[in-house]
Amino acid sequence: MTAIIKISNLDKYFGRLHVIKNISLDVQPREVVCLIGRSGSGKSTLLRCINFLEEPSHGSIEVDGIRVEGGEKGKEHRQLVHNVRLKTGMVFQEFNLFPHMSVLENVIEGPVTVKGMDKDKAMALAEENLDSVGMLFKKDEYPNRLSGGQKQRVAIARALSMEPRVMLFDEPTSALDPELIGEVLNVMKKVAKDGMTMLVVTHEMGFAREVADRVLVMGEGEIIEDASPKDLFTQPKDPRTKALIDRYRSGEN
Amino acid sequence: MIQAQISQAELLYEAQQRKVRQFRTNVVISWVALLGFLVFLFNGPIEIDSEFIRKNILFIAGGLGQTFYISILSIALATCLALLAALGRLSTFPPLYALSTFYVSLIRGTPLYLQIFFFFLALPQLGIVLPGLFAGVLALGLNYGAYMSETFRAGLSSVSKGQREAAVAIGMTPQQTMRRIVLPQALRFAIPPMGNDFISMTKDSALVSATGFVHEVMWRATRVGRAEFNNLEALIVAAGFYWMMTLVLTFIQSRIEARLARGDR
């Protein structure tokens, strides 16, 4: 099987700060990969490099056969980046719904403006996706009338409506009140079950253990552990992983 | 128990509403009293020539159209310039940034009165003779554009980085992001202060009268006032017109703002 995401020798510097250190990583189609690690370990930056919200300094990103070299400029590069973005959906910690558009308008915006999809067709697709995240009943509301959990579910529907091959989640539940986290995680489980390839930066160890096929632990800009959740939670190799898991266990009890 | 809580909240709300209504009523009464005092002043202690007013009020009112026309054209020009200047101000391309800050600094560093005279009186010396109305609109538009660029810049900056990232992540080009996501939100932010600018522009358009080429309200008032030495009456009439215009525009503005407040954020 060929990998759907291939990251090769990726480096990212912020000025003199080396935040991603020569990372290579393959993700298979339909795989759900969770990225965990302390804050500042580079996990969000790695995720944001995949759709070029952060331009990598060196190395390459390949998504569904489109290969882009980092650190380049010019029209051709911009076109490749655009093509990669069409293959990837992204969900942000802060939801970032468009406040001047209703829920339905938020979801059809990408298909209509970017893909030039017929509006009726986009609406049918949007309603289908809103239904699958359980938000169809709020389609005419504006985002300011929704709870955090509802906003994030709409944001997931918005990303899905671009029919991406890969979904990137950047701490999707970190800005939510504890009682709203469950509804978002449930929607994510459903997306995973439908066969979407997912990369999830998260602090939700329970989700990682239950849903992920693979868990990557990051520390100081490197992947320090790459294991199945079962192995990771029962026999962590790196002491930093052990510390993370111990903290999770003590919080659970 | 829950029933009791709701009715208590309702009672508190009602009490507060009563207070608000009472306050408004008192304000209206005070306004009427002040207005009555003004009317009384001009009917007794201050002698005014009502015959003059009757004779000239229509002539002065004839300038309202010009005043309004100048203001509309100027605000349109100012809006375009302000948007360009704001985009320049946020540009990372040094010449654009410099052009924008240079324009704003030059205009804000000199009096509007001087700028108006510049277009009427100084340019002809260089062989450039602009029609009166056109020169007035140019001066007002350039001036307000510089001030309004600050409003637009604030509006553009009020749109968070996350909004742009969300737009870019679904594949929007920078132009699409600007047109569909950033500008609508920035304009919504900028419309209330733009309303204020428009209202003050209708009044600043009176400065254009000083050149004598545009026959708007102020020009007409000073003309008839000076001719018959009835400046007091003429200026009172002009003041009344400006004030009424401001009241109407303020009312319209409050309606627009109320509409904008729905469904955002």
Side-chain angles (χ1 to χ4, degrees), chain B residues 17-261:
Chain B
Q17 287 298 305
R18 235 190 343 265
K19 253 187 183 167
V20 170
R21 273 198 303 272
Q22 186 77 59
F23 180 79
R24 279 200 197 129
T25 316
N26 289 342
V27 169
V28 170
I29 292 170
S30 312
W31 261 71
V32 171
L34 285 168
L35 211 59
F37 180 64
L38 258 186
V39 171
F40 160 75
L41 272 185
F42 290 126
N43 278 313
I46 302 176
E47 220 172 290
I48 55 168
D49 180 350
S50 53
E51 179 56 32
F52 170 85
I53 292 181
R54 253 197 303 281
K55 219 171 61 198
N56 291 296
I57 192 163
L58 282 180
F59 178 72
I60 296 174
L64 280 171
Q66 284 272 335
T67 292
F68 199 66
Y69 188 50
I70 295 175
S71 304
I72 290 274
L73 289 179
S74 305
I75 202 86
L77 176 64
T79 303
C80 298
L81 288 172
L83 190 57
L84 290 176
L87 288 172
R89 178 72 204 283
L90 294 171
S91 166
T92 49
F93 184 54
L96 279 184
Y97 180 91
L99 186 64
S100 160
T101 47
F102 188 82
Y103 158 60
V104 173
S105 171
L106 180 67
I107 296 291
R108 294 194 3 168
T110 51
L112 172 58
Y113 201 54
L114 185 150
Q115 290 160 18
I116 289 170
F117 271 102
F118 187 85
F119 284 102
F120 276 113
L121 301 179
L123 282 188
Q125 203 176 319
L126 302 173
I128 305 167
V129 182
L130 300 170
L133 183 82
F134 187 66
V137 167
L138 207 57
L140 279 171
L142 274 169
N143 184 275
Y144 271 73
Y147 284 92
M148 282 165 63
S149 71
E150 241 353 76
T151 309
F152 277 52
R153 190 189 61 77
L156 289 168
S157 308
S158 77
V159 182
S160 71
K161 195 169 154 234
Q163 288 289 312
R164 290 165 214 262
E165 287 189 345
V168 163
I170 56 172
M172 285 196 187
T173 62
Q175 292 85 336
Q176 286 169 337
T177 303
M178 184 50 82
R179 204 180 64 238
R180 301 282 311 164
I181 306 303
V182 178
L183 272 187
Q185 293 184 57
L187 280 180
R188 185 174 292 223
F189 180 97
I191 278 176
M194 271 172 72
N196 290 337
D197 284 331
F198 183 63
I199 291 168
S200 52
M201 184 181 274
T202 56
K203 288 167 289 163
D204 277 349
S205 69
L207 290 173
V208 176
S209 72
T211 58
F213 288 99
V214 183
H215 302 173
E216 42 67 76
V217 174
M218 186 66 186
W219 180 85
R220 287 167 184 249
T222 47
R223 185 182 141 112
V224 293
R226 278 182 190 144
E228 305 180 27
F229 201 65
N230 280 111
N231 283 310
L232 178 65
E233 291 81 358
L235 290 177
I236 286 171
V237 170
F241 282 135
Y242 280 115
W243 195 10
M244 275 193 301
M245 226 164 32
T246 305
L247 286 176
V248 170
L249 290 172
T250 307
F251 176 74
I252 294 172
Q253 187 199 15
S254 69
R255 299 307 289 264
I256 293 174
E257 274 181 43
R259 176 168 299 190
L260 279 178

Side-chain angles (χ1 to χ4, degrees), chain A:
Chain A
M1 202 159 39
T2 45
I4 192 160
I5 301 176
K6 270 172 102 74
I7 299 173
S8 313
N9 304 103
L10 196 78
D11 277 296
K12 175 67 186 175
Y13 292 85
F14 287 121
R16 283 167 59 197
L17 198 65
H18 199 179
V19 283
I20 301 288
K21 295 171 185 162
N22 194 32
I23 285 182
S24 296
L25 168 71
D26 283 7
V27 177
Q28 304 303 322
R30 306 172 78 90
E31 208 174 14
V32 176
V33 179
C34 280
L35 278 162
I36 63 173
R38 297 219 316 253
S39 50
S41 60
K43 53 194 193 310
S44 274
T45 306
L46 177 63
L47 194 78
R48 289 162 57 86
C49 278
I50 295 174
N51 68 352
F52 289 80
L53 284 184
E54 302 292 351
E55 177 78 37
S57 307
H58 310 289
S60 71
I61 303 277
E62 187 179 320
V63 180
D64 198 25
I66 299 170
R67 187 184 155 99
V68 194
E69 299 294 329
E72 295 198 348
K73 287 192 166 71
K75 206 173 164 196
E76 201 181 330
H77 178 70
R78 281 202 300 274
Q79 185 58 48
L80 285 173
V81 167
H82 180 74
N83 292 346
V84 163
R85 284 177 180 156
L86 291 181
K87 303 247 179 208
T88 55
M90 182 140 189
V91 174
F92 298 86
Q93 182 177 347
E94 299 293 341
F95 332 121
N96 295 337
L97 292 181
F98 306 131
H100 56 303
M101 299 180 184
S102 71
V103 163
L104 188 66
E105 287 166 343
N106 261 279
V107 181
I108 65 169
E109 180 62 27
V112 171
T113 303
V114 177
K115 286 185 169 173
M117 190 186 280
D118 178 68
K119 204 166 173 187
D120 289 334
K121 205 176 151 204
M123 286 215 302
L125 176 67
E127 289 187 358
E128 196 181 302
N129 281 319
L130 282 172
D131 194 29
S132 82
V133 301
M135 288 300 297
L136 188 56
F137 73 117
K138 293 276 191 187
K139 72 182 166 95
D140 295 319
E141 286 286 8
Y142 281 84
N144 67 329
R145 303 287 301 270
L146 306 180
S147 72
Q150 292 176 330
K151 283 182 194 167
Q152 197 60 300
R153 281 148 64 196
V154 172
I156 293 171
R158 177 174 69 179
L160 287 175
S161 287
M162 289 300 286
E163 301 176 303
R165 297 298 314 276
V166 173
M167 284 280 282
L168 309 174
F169 294 83
D170 191 3
E171 302 201 25
T173 57
S174 297
L176 296 175
D177 291 336
E179 73 268 22
L180 302 176
I181 291 175
E183 62 186 75
V184 172
L185 292 181
N186 282 337
V187 165
M188 288 168 63
K189 278 181 208 165
K190 199 169 161 195
V191 175
K193 222 168 147 190
D194 291 344
M196 180 61 73
T197 308
M198 291 169 51
L199 234 72
V200 185
V201 171
T202 188
H203 294 289
E204 291 294 321
M205 298 294 224
F207 178 81
R209 190 160 69 166
E210 196 185 330
V211 184
D213 299 304
R214 249 165 101 194
V215 181
L216 307 178
V217 185
M218 284 196 67
E220 284 88 46
E222 293 171 310
I223 295 174
I224 55 179
E225 199 142 344
D226 179 349
S228 72
K230 188 165 158 282
D231 289 348
L232 190 88
F233 282 93
T234 51
Q235 41 197 330
K237 293 193 193 87
D238 193 283
R240 284 170 289 183
T241 312
K242 204 169 172 310
L244 268 176
I245 286 168
D246 286 345
R247 199 153 0 105
Y248 158 61
R249 287 261 153 73
S250 67
E252 197 181 36
N253 296 329

